[in-house]
Amino acid sequence: MSSPFAFELFVRAMSLRDDMAEDEVAALKSLPVRFEKMPKGVEIIADHARADHSCIITKGLAARAVYTADGERQLTALHIPGDFVDLHAFLLKIMDHSVVAMSDCDVAFVSHRSLLEIFTRYPHLGRIFWLSTVVDAAIQRAWTTSLGRRTAAQSIGHLVCELHARLSAIGAVVGNSFPLPLTQQELADLLGMSIVHVNRKLKELRADRLVRMEDGQVHIPNVAQLREFSEFDPIYLNFFKEPR
Amino acid sequence: MSSPFAFELFVRAMSLRDDMAEDEVAALKSLPVRFEKMPKGVEIIADHARADHSCIITKGLAARAVYTADGERQLTALHIPGDFVDLHAFLLKIMDHSVVAMSDCDVAFVSHRSLLEIFTRYPHLGRIFWLSTVVDAAIQRAWTTSLGRRTAAQSIGHLVCELHARLSAIGAVVGNSFPLPLTQQELADLLGMSIVHVNRKLKELRADRLVRMEDGQVHIPNVAQLREFSEFDPIYLNFFKEPR
DNA sequence: CGGCAAATTGACACATCTCAAAGCCTGTGG
DNA sequence: CCACAGGCTTTGAGATGTGTCAATTTGCCG
């Protein structure tokens, strides 16, 4: 087959959580997809849109965004390659937020129609996809906790720990460093802080040798120490194999 | 059948989103459940527990709670009767948070085994359940947005609007009033604020005739006005009928 | 009446935001 | 090769929102 396999990283990450049968993976491979390149900043899916396709990221970063009346935005999720970003739309039908490309992205669109078909034929595959939305929700809970009860520095640390763990699962971490091509303004939108505060807290984290963030790269000198500092418990990311 | 129907309110709320066939409802009725009464304050499911049952609330309020190292807690969701509280556990298998009874509750436990069976037989029913977890996730996004980008008073208003809409769907709102037997400390845990601040902002909201909260009852003098003030857009609650 | 939990208030500390300016890169055009 | 513009980062100063601590009041229940 000449066309690249859109679900490669998705399968890789989900296989850490449950075994996927060969015919299930084969079924995914035969799913009709439309590849598209999205330049940074583009709105991949608009808020309130009626969706009949969902998209999976194969390269780059995307985020879910909610805009408030005063023009600010809160990013409620950051998605990495292999994430089936708006699988939620498969059930929701109408978007309650938009999805934005945070870097140049490659995404693959799948129609809800073909998803429905494949889930009917392979119910277990359906549960794997369901699981992926439920893990998204668990991540959202962790963010809520960060915003509600953690200090700014802890929130940043927690986010870094989370990305470290998630990116590890798709092989994108080398020596406790990983790429994160976000500006401080974008981090602020993610973390629900002002850009100035992000800047100051990053400085602190750097001084305390907890996190170094520069040139679009994040480095964690001591993962155990950062996890302790940020009260990060990876259980919510659900990286353990169980039959589902 | 003598035993009460555990899924009555669940069916009622989900029927606003998609039609449920008679045989699907009948299948739910025949699902083996174990009823239990939970007094206020009890931990219904413990964090990190391995779950082989999930529970639906038939009466009372329950919340998902994450405890931080310093003994504080963030409540990440508030569940009302008809909510299948920890259906997430059906997929997650190991809890990443605990579930607490916020009032005396009646809950019904269903084994994951019987859920699996019924979903296999009725795939559409499976999608209805999946949808309910995805709506939970949408609510979580709205909370994240509140914590990140709304003022304290707006957050409270938003929560009140949300509960108003959700409780309406199960017929628990009368004349724009509904019961909410929570202390200000519990509201603070929900909203990620201090109890003192909640108290002051409630006072403000009362003075501005936006929300009156007393004796475990919430009253909204003018729903449209409160929604405007809180930037509440009910789309995320997904109350519209679509085939799923 | 006394006791207890919850609500309320005041005073002050601290975290975070806003506004504004300065510094630092990088790409571009002369 | 230099000058400059534009985006991003960094810093400072002061305003504001929110938290903490402690005391008082209220309402309920035994």
Side-chain angles (χ1 to χ4, degrees):
Chain A
M1 173 122 67
S2 61
S3 158
F5 177 34
F7 290 89
E8 188 182 338
L9 291 177
F10 177 81
V11 169
R12 180 164 174 179
M14 296 313 284
S15 292
L16 295 170
R17 300 171 170 125
D18 191 6
D19 291 318
M20 294 179 71
E22 278 185 29
D23 60 341
E24 291 173 338
V25 176
L28 282 179
K29 278 192 176 145
S30 67
L31 216 45
V33 300
R34 189 183 81 242
F35 285 95
E36 222 167 300
K37 289 200 175 294
M38 296 287 182
K40 167 162 182 163
V42 154
E43 195 169 62
I44 302 178
I45 309 148
D47 196 5
H48 285 62
R50 168 173 292 271
D52 59 355
H53 284 67
S54 286
C55 73
I56 183 162
I57 305 189
T58 59
K59 221 182 84 193
L61 294 177
R64 303 179 191 236
V66 177
Y67 291 85
T68 59
D70 58 355
E72 290 202 309
R73 67 176 183 183
Q74 174 70 43
L75 302 181
T76 62
L78 184 61
H79 286 289
I80 65 174
D83 282 354
F84 206 150
V85 185
D86 68 335
L87 183 53
H88 294 241
F90 173 61
L91 279 312
L92 292 178
K93 301 302 179 193
I94 296 183
M95 298 294 292
D96 63 306
H97 60 276
S98 53
V99 176
V100 184
M102 301 300 287
S103 71
D104 292 349
C105 285
D106 293 355
V107 301
F109 287 91
V110 190
S111 77
H112 291 169
R113 194 179 153 60
S114 15
L115 286 175
L116 188 53
E117 276 172 26
I118 204 177
F119 295 160
T120 307
R121 183 136 19 156
Y122 300 95
H124 176 254
L125 199 52
R127 292 196 298 281
I128 297 274
F129 277 69
W130 184 353
L131 172 61
S132 90
T133 64
V134 164
V135 170
D136 275 2
I139 292 173
Q140 198 73 50
R141 279 193 290 277
W143 282 33
T144 300
T145 308
S146 266
L147 282 160
R149 289 285 176 238
R150 284 192 255 265
T151 65
Q154 277 180 317
S155 286
I156 297 176
H158 201 274
L159 176 65
V160 168
C161 286
E162 177 185 309
L163 288 173
H164 175 260
R166 288 167 65 195
L167 289 167
S168 289
I170 56 165
V173 173
V174 180
N176 289 333
S177 292
F178 56 86
L180 189 69
L182 298 180
T183 66
Q184 292 184 357
Q185 179 59 64
E186 288 161 344
L187 281 172
D189 290 345
L190 273 174
L191 294 158
M193 303 174 197
S194 69
I195 176 174
V196 174
H197 208 55
V198 168
N199 181 281
R200 294 199 161 108
K201 292 301 158 178
L202 280 177
K203 185 178 167 186
E204 259 182 49
L205 287 167
R206 202 183 314 134
D208 296 345
R209 290 177 209 292
L210 287 167
V211 176
R212 240 178 38 227
M213 209 181 275
E214 52 192 13
D215 302 326
Q217 284 277 324
V218 175
H219 178 71
I220 309 174
N222 183 330
V223 173
Q225 201 181 346
L226 182 62
R227 288 186 169 193
E228 160 103 33
F229 170 79
S230 318
E231 295 187 14
F232 177 81
D233 173 356
I235 193 89
Y236 73 98
L237 293 174
N238 206 254
F239 282 126
F240 44 80
K241 202 172 278 195
E242 290 280 338
R244 322 272 175 164
Chain B
M1 174 121 66
S2 61
S3 158
F5 178 32
F7 290 89
E8 189 182 338
L9 292 176
F10 177 81
V11 169
R12 180 164 175 179
M14 296 314 284
S15 292
L16 296 171
R17 299 172 171 125
D18 191 6
D19 292 316
M20 293 179 72
E22 278 185 29
D23 60 340
E24 291 173 340
V25 176
L28 282 179
K29 277 191 175 144
S30 68
L31 216 44
V33 301
R34 190 183 81 242
F35 285 95
E36 221 167 300
K37 288 199 175 294
M38 297 288 181
K40 167 164 180 159
V42 154
E43 194 169 64
I44 303 178
I45 309 146
D47 195 6
H48 285 64
R50 168 173 292 270
D52 59 356
H53 285 67
S54 285
C55 72
I56 183 162
I57 305 187
T58 59
K59 221 183 82 192
L61 294 177
R64 304 179 191 236
V66 177
Y67 292 85
T68 60
D70 57 357
E72 290 203 310
R73 67 176 180 181
Q74 174 68 43
L75 302 180
T76 61
L78 184 61
H79 286 289
I80 66 175
D83 282 355
F84 207 150
V85 185
D86 68 332
L87 184 53
H88 294 240
F90 172 61
L91 279 311
L92 291 178
K93 301 302 179 194
I94 297 183
M95 298 292 292
D96 62 307
H97 60 278
S98 51
V99 175
V100 185
M102 300 301 287
S103 72
D104 292 350
C105 286
D106 293 353
V107 300
F109 287 90
V110 190
S111 76
H112 291 170
R113 193 179 152 59
S114 14
L115 286 175
L116 188 53
E117 275 172 27
I118 204 177
F119 295 160
T120 307
R121 183 135 21 156
Y122 301 95
H124 175 253
L125 200 52
R127 292 196 299 278
I128 296 274
F129 277 69
W130 183 353
L131 172 61
S132 91
T133 63
V134 164
V135 170
D136 276 3
I139 292 173
Q140 198 72 51
R141 278 193 290 276
W143 284 32
T144 299
T145 308
S146 265
L147 283 160
R149 290 283 176 240
R150 283 192 256 265
T151 65
Q154 277 181 317
S155 287
I156 297 177
H158 201 273
L159 176 65
V160 168
C161 287
E162 177 185 310
L163 289 173
H164 175 261
R166 288 167 63 195
L167 289 167
S168 290
I170 57 165
V173 173
V174 180
N176 290 333
S177 291
F178 56 87
L180 189 68
L182 298 180
T183 66
Q184 293 185 355
Q185 179 59 66
E186 289 161 343
L187 281 173
D189 290 345
L190 224 26
L191 293 158
M193 302 173 197
S194 70
I195 176 174
V196 173
H197 207 56
V198 169
N199 182 283
R200 295 198 162 110
K201 292 299 160 180
L202 280 177
K203 186 178 168 186
E204 259 181 48
L205 287 168
R206 201 183 315 132
D208 295 345
R209 291 178 208 291
L210 287 168
V211 177
R212 241 176 39 226
M213 210 181 273
E214 52 195 11
D215 303 325
Q217 283 277 325
V218 176
H219 178 71
I220 310 175
N222 183 330
V223 173
Q225 202 180 347
L226 182 62
R227 286 186 171 193
E228 160 101 33
F229 170 78
S230 317
E231 294 187 13
F232 177 80
D233 173 355
I235 193 89
Y236 73 97
L237 293 174
N238 206 253
F239 282 126
F240 43 81
K241 202 171 277 192
E242 289 279 339
R244 322 273 174 165

